[in-house]
Amino acid sequence: MTEPSHEEPHGGSLGARLNWLRAAVLGANDGIVSTAGLVVGVAGATGDRSALLTAGLAGLLAGSMSMAAGEYVSVSTQRDSERAALALERRELLEQPEAELEELTGLLEERGLTREVARDAAVQLTQRDALRAHARVELGIDPDELTNPWHAAWASFLAFTVGALLPLLAIVLPPSDWRLPVTVVSVLLALACTGWSSARLGAAAPARAVVRNVGGGAVAMAVTYAAGSLLGAAGI
Ligand SMILES: [Zn+2]
């Protein structure tokens, strides 16, 4: 399953919000593909609606909880290392304020300020909130906006669930003759939307992303349907 990336600095910035949105789209995409593969595979073996519902619901819950747990672990680990970096920074500011001022000046200079302006800016930033200045300029994090692991876990859970509901409803609601066509068509359309959105949010070419995403989903459903049909025909 796709791990949303947390490499960019957090905070209320546009970049961070786009990162969240992109992670949500990818989470929904995972929910669509894995649940579609699951229910189409079961539909290859049996026409029993309650078997389809059970398999789809179990897949939805297993997938969304696995995504949430993975996200919780990854964000917790990241937050631990951000906190450790902040604690170290706090100690350095106490123990060697002059060296830290010089370090901040150097970092601002690297960003294109002249020596004098960088020095002035570093002095002002240090007077206002030295830790925040170092956190932002040096570590690229905002000490007030560290990602909450529970929020991240909940967001992944929801994103996967929303995606997974589509193939689940598409396979159990229509009359039995319509199940497969309705599921395949709605899944491929949804994958075109998620492929297009994630490409746009990542500033990549949408057309290629749509083709890859729809192609991947089509292959997943074809493979599980073939496997399910073989098992169903063999009476296993
Ligand atoms: Zn520092």
Side-chain angles (χ1 to χ4, degrees):
M1 291 183 188
T2 317
E3 277 294 323
S5 91
H6 294 281
E7 281 139 25
E8 283 172 36
H10 303 302
S13 70
L14 183 63
R17 251 174 297 164
L18 283 179
N19 243 12
W20 273 95
L21 200 53
R22 189 146 180 270
V25 171
L26 292 174
N29 199 75
D30 275 348
I32 298 168
V33 175
S34 64
T35 311
L38 186 63
V39 294
V40 166
V42 176
T46 175
D48 181 17
R49 191 186 301 266
S50 90
L52 286 167
L53 181 61
T54 307
L57 200 58
L60 181 155
L61 289 171
S64 56
M65 286 189 288
S66 138
M67 290 279 289
E71 194 60 7
Y72 181 83
V73 169
S74 122
V75 173
S76 298
T77 306
Q78 183 184 326
R79 194 162 71 160
D80 288 349
S81 61
E82 286 172 344
R83 279 185 173 154
L86 285 172
L88 179 67
E89 203 59 43
R90 198 175 284 123
R91 204 173 67 221
E92 287 174 350
L93 282 166
L94 274 178
E95 290 171 358
Q96 36 185 326
E98 221 8 81
E100 286 296 302
L101 182 62
E102 182 49 41
E103 178 193 49
L104 188 58
T105 306
L107 288 167
L108 292 170
E109 241 184 311
E110 273 171 28
R111 296 195 171 184
L113 301 181
T114 64
R115 177 84 203 155
E116 300 78 63
V117 175
R119 183 78 186 179
D120 275 355
V123 168
Q124 282 188 35
L125 287 168
T126 302
Q127 279 167 356
R128 194 176 300 160
D129 189 341
L131 182 64
R132 178 184 302 261
H134 282 260
R136 283 207 172 134
V137 178
E138 192 185 335
L139 309 172
I141 57 182
D142 185 331
D144 297 330
E145 304 253 5
L146 300 188
T147 308
N148 182 323
W150 287 106
H151 291 175
W154 184 233
S156 293
F157 182 90
L158 277 183
F160 187 97
T161 299
V162 166
L165 277 174
L166 176 84
L168 177 59
L169 295 176
I171 205 92
V172 295
L173 292 183
S176 52
D177 286 349
W178 284 90
R179 265 176 205 157
L180 277 172
V182 166
T183 305
V184 170
V185 169
S186 57
V187 161
L188 295 182
L189 281 176
L191 291 180
C193 293
T194 53
W196 187 86
S197 321
S198 69
R200 288 308 307 249
L201 291 166
R208 240 179 294 168
V210 166
V211 170
R212 281 194 205 114
N213 207 36
V214 170
V219 169
M221 289 188 288
V223 168
T224 58
Y225 184 73
S229 303
L230 283 173
L231 287 177
I236 297 172

